[in-house]
Amino acid sequence: MKMTLNINGTERSVDAAEDIPLLWLLRDELQLTGTKYGCGIAQCGACTVLIDGKASRACMVRAKSAQGKTITTIEANQSAEGQAVTAVWDATNVHQCGYCQSGQVMAATALLMKNPNPDDKAIDQAMSGVICRCGTYERVRRGIKQAAEQLKRNAQAAPGGSHDV
Ligand code: FES
Ligand code: FES
C-alpha cells in the first residue's frame, strides 16, 4: 500500500504493508532508528514519538492511520521544549545504557509542551509508561525540572518576555 506521512517536517511516501506499525515504517523503511523497539505491546515506551505533539507509542500505531498527522521523532526533536530537554540530557548525563532514552526525551518533550511547569506528580504521571531498566528515573525527573527552568529563562530573555523584578 502506498502511503504518505509527514515525518519530521517532510512528506515521505512509502510503499509498505497495509498493517505496518509506524515503528517499523520509521525504522525499516525510513532508517529512522533513533526510535527504539522494546516490547512491541505498549508496555515500555521505548518507541515513543510525537504525533500531533502528543506522546504516542509507535509500536501500537498503524502507519496508515498516521497519514495527515504530524510525526516527530528523536532525530528532529527541535521544538523549544525538545531542544531544552536534549540540552539538559546531554549536559547532565541523564542516560545510562541509553536504550530507553529516546522514549524518555520524547515523553518529556510532550509533557513540557503541555505543561511548562510540571510538579513531581505530573512528571510521574507523564513518564510512568517509559520504563528504564537502568533506573534513571530520578535523573529523568531532575532533567525535566531543569529543562522547564531553562525554558522559563529563555522566555524571560526573549524580546517582550516577562522579567522578574
Ligand atoms: S516498543 Fe512500543 S511500548 Fe514498548
Ligand atoms: S538508560 Fe538504560 S534502559 Fe534506560
Side-chain angles (χ1 to χ4, degrees):
M1 174 188 175
K2 282 198 190 330
M3 46 187 116
T4 301
L5 292 97
N6 185 311
I7 299 173
N8 297 337
T10 304
E11 296 289 327
R12 307 287 302 262
S13 291
V14 289
D15 197 353
E18 190 177 350
D19 60 350
I20 189 171
L22 178 60
L23 176 60
W24 299 122
L25 184 128
L26 292 171
R27 290 183 57 84
D28 291 351
E29 304 292 332
L30 300 175
Q31 285 71 54
L32 291 168
T33 53
T35 305
K36 301 302 182 197
Y37 168 66
C39 66
I41 51 169
Q43 296 297 305
C44 75
C47 65
T48 302
V49 298
L50 305 186
I51 299 181
D52 288 344
K54 282 166 64 178
S56 308
R57 286 159 188 220
C59 70
M60 298 309 290
V61 175
R62 296 274 174 242
K64 68 177 179 186
S65 73
Q67 294 181 101
K69 299 179 178 169
T70 301
I71 300 155
T72 306
T73 70
I74 189 77
E75 286 87 353
N77 189 30
Q78 291 298 315
S79 63
E81 293 82 2
Q83 289 186 40
V85 169
T86 303
V88 168
W89 253 240
D90 286 348
T92 63
N93 285 328
V94 169
H95 61 281
Q96 195 159 314
C97 83
Y99 200 84
C100 71
Q101 294 293 328
S102 76
Q104 304 282 4
V105 165
M106 298 312 283
T109 299
L111 168 61
L112 290 173
M113 289 168 91
K114 203 172 79 179
N115 178 356
N117 194 20
D119 58 17
D120 286 347
K121 194 169 162 217
I123 291 173
D124 290 348
Q125 258 172 9
M127 303 302 293
S128 64
V130 191
I131 306 301
C132 177
R133 65 186 172 186
C134 301
T136 61
Y137 300 112
E138 198 45 52
R139 294 208 294 272
V140 165
R141 185 192 276 183
R142 209 162 43 232
I144 290 170
K145 288 182 178 170
Q146 287 179 16
E149 285 300 318
Q150 186 59 53
L151 285 165
K152 214 181 297 169
R153 284 197 294 276
N154 293 349
Q156 286 170 348
S162 59
H163 294 271
D164 292 334
V165 287

